[in-house]
Amino acid sequence: MMMDPKWLQTYREEIGTFSEKIHAFNEGKIEKKDYKGYSGGMGSYAQRDQTKHMLRLRMPGGRLTAERLKFLAGTVEKYGVRRLKLTTCETVQLHDLPAEQVPAIMEEAASCGIICRGGGGDNPRNVMCSPLSGVQKGEAFDPTPYAEAVTEDLLSICRDIHMPRKLKIAFSNGADDSVHSAFRDMGFRAKPDGTFSLRIAGGLGAAGHRMGVLVDEAVNPREVLYYVRAMVDTFCQHGNYENRAKARTRFMQDTLGPEGLKEAFLKNVESAKAAGGLELPRLEALASVCGGEETLEHPRAIRQKQPGMYTVKYHPVGGLLPAEKPAQLYAAIKDLCNAECRVGPDETLYIVNLPAAGAEKVLAITEDGAKTAFEHSVACIGATVCQQGVRDSQGLLQAAVQAVREAGIPDGALPAVRISGCPSSCAAHEAGTIGFQGGVRLEDKKPQPAFRMFLGGSDALDAARFGEAGAVILERDIPALLVELGRAAAAAGQPWEQWAETHREELNAIVARYA
């Protein structure tokens, strides 16, 4: 990503101002609310322990290139970073940073194209892309260059726009929709004819979730910036500036109606095109890789559409990337042509463009990752770290994984679950086969840690749906509940998806015992 030198100079000046503010906050001279309002726009937040900070490294399409991976490894070593979190928006978060480290890392990150500006707050967020774009069999085409072009354009105007809330944009390659283009603020889906279909104003959250409204089925890729600018304009014109709980784009479906929203948006598209100046050249896909002759069979090795080339799938449990891993991965791929890592929206790291021998090295390095479908579960960082958090989602996931392992539940008897520690949907619990949303339950008139359970969600291509909100389960009981459900599916000799469909009464009865 190549930002204009003048833009970068201004960004560096903003880092200087941020440095002053984070130190003032650290000294108690700025209130938490005021500091959050500023720091979010720079991609950083104070943690629950206000002497520690998080920094979000935004990377278009989750591309952790070799250069960026080298930077990350060096940063971990230089600053002693011990907690790294892969996120559902395809970023990497550095946690537990003292105040003086945050602006220094921001400055150094910019040298390899990692811009933290707009990583939080009411800003256009990290632009997402199917993690296997460019290498996945069956994809319509590689949308990565367009995701990067949109990123540069949004960063170029982020200082000049004032939206009601954040804006999340995703590009699907047409073979996979793990990026949830069906229910993002803007979701572009690549089609075999070389165009995008586009849905807008979808989203998740406590005040209601919505599928996106289909507004165009043949967007010319060269014109995507007109559509993005039109969405910004529509959001600024019709979004809710009075009530933050109703300020996301999805609520424009309520105020305008789906057809009224579509009409308003397409009028803004026409206006943007009339003004001109935003048409992209024909963008080339990422550099192709040469094929190899050796073959490899491994459950975590994915055959790419390039013959003889592989992607290795690595899911650190809970998305918590071990601190030593960036350096190990960089050493393994630094001499391989076009090899890089991609952060996936399910907190999985994909290491792409590997010949068989390189894939074998990466497989050995990543043996500590998830072994089963259930261990691929998604969880936000949780309330022990996040100021906004209500429940310890990471602690719950770790306890559940341990319980399921000790019970010997076979792979496939439980699906990956999604655990959000609060109503903010950071783990997209509404889209999970099983989802949990942090909250409380009254026991003897006293609030106890608990999670609301969601069942039946899906982010499958052409089959996206939201799960049904159900029982509120005490946090301490959830590992036992999952074990009982897994045992029931295993006893029937069926994978979870089949068992949940054919044994719905039994499933509901088990859940009811914990409600």
Side-chain angles (χ1 to χ4, degrees), residues 274-293:
L278 294 176
E279 186 160 333
L280 293 168
R282 183 174 181 84
L283 300 179
E284 296 297 326
L286 299 178
S288 60
V289 292
C290 299
E293 296 182 358

Side-chain angles (χ1 to χ4, degrees), residues 90-425:
E90 300 186 328
T91 68
V92 178
Q93 291 178 176
L94 309 182
H95 285 278
D96 306 332
L97 303 177
E100 65 272 11
Q101 290 184 357
V102 180
I105 295 173
M106 282 182 184
E107 177 75 35
E108 294 166 14
S111 65
C112 60
I114 297 177
I115 305 297
C116 300
R117 186 71 167 83
D122 301 337
N123 293 283
R125 297 298 185 84
N126 192 51
V127 179
M128 300 172 66
C129 196
S130 297
L132 296 183
S133 293
V135 303
Q136 189 170 13
K137 294 181 179 180
E139 70 177 356
F141 62 90
D142 181 1
T144 305
Y146 300 98
E148 296 190 333
V150 167
T151 296
E152 291 190 25
D153 184 64
L154 287 172
L155 285 174
S156 75
I157 65 171
C158 66
R159 301 184 183 100
D160 305 318
I161 57 177
H162 173 53
M163 300 184 299
R165 289 290 297 272
K166 57 193 170 186
L167 185 73
K168 293 186 175 182
I169 300 175
F171 285 81
S172 164
N173 65 1
D176 160 75
D177 198 28
S178 58
V179 294
H180 301 160
S181 71
F183 48 92
R184 290 287 177 189
D185 296 302
M186 294 191 82
F188 292 90
R189 175 175 166 179
K191 298 174 62 179
D193 65 1
T195 67
F196 290 111
S197 63
L198 173 61
R199 292 181 178 272
I200 66 167
L204 307 174
H209 36 262
R210 305 283 192 283
M211 288 292 171
V213 176
L214 181 64
V215 292
D216 201 319
E217 296 189 75
V219 176
N220 182 339
R222 297 179 63 186
E223 297 181 336
V224 293
L225 298 186
Y226 292 115
Y227 286 81
V228 171
R229 292 290 187 94
M231 189 62 191
V232 171
D233 289 342
T234 305
F235 194 18
C236 290
Q237 292 163 1
H238 301 285
N240 190 329
Y241 286 92
E242 305 300 323
N243 181 354
R244 286 187 66 80
K246 295 292 183 72
R248 292 297 301 277
T249 66
R250 64 185 183 273
F251 295 104
M252 293 191 296
Q253 291 195 43
D254 297 336
T255 56
L256 298 176
E259 286 303 315
L261 172 60
K262 179 178 178 179
E263 180 181 357
F265 171 75
L266 291 178
K267 282 183 179 179
N268 281 329
V269 172
E270 290 299 318
S271 296
K273 288 182 178 180
L278 294 176
E279 186 160 333
L280 293 168
R282 183 174 181 84
L283 300 179
E284 296 297 326
L286 299 178
S288 60
V289 292
C290 299
E293 296 182 358
E294 297 180 5
T295 59
L296 174 66
E297 295 293 336
H298 191 281
R300 290 193 294 114
I302 303 169
R303 289 180 182 268
Q304 298 184 180
K305 66 182 184 181
Q306 295 85 6
M309 300 300 290
Y310 297 86
T311 290
V312 169
K313 182 179 179 180
Y314 170 51
H315 185 93
V317 174
L320 297 175
L321 186 67
E324 70 278 5
K325 208 59 63 175
Q328 293 174 354
L329 289 169
Y330 177 70
I333 72 169
K334 63 184 178 69
D335 296 323
L336 299 177
C337 180
N338 296 319
E340 64 180 46
C341 299
R342 310 266 182 86
V343 181
D346 61 349
E347 302 175 342
T348 296
L349 197 64
Y350 295 88
I351 304 90
V352 306
N353 294 336
L354 303 173
E360 287 177 344
K361 290 180 181 179
V362 172
L363 285 165
I365 291 169
T366 56
E367 271 299 309
D368 58 310
K371 301 293 192 298
T372 66
F374 176 69
E375 290 179 13
H376 280 80
S377 294
V378 176
C380 66
I381 195 65
T384 61
V385 175
C386 177
Q387 280 192 14
Q388 299 299 112
V390 177
R391 298 272 72 83
D392 181 11
S393 47
Q394 285 289 328
L396 172 58
L397 177 59
Q398 298 297 331
V401 167
Q402 181 178 352
V404 168
R405 285 175 176 174
E406 291 176 352
I409 305 300
D411 188 16
L414 282 172
V417 304
R418 290 179 170 267
I419 307 174
S420 296
C422 76
S424 293
S425 303

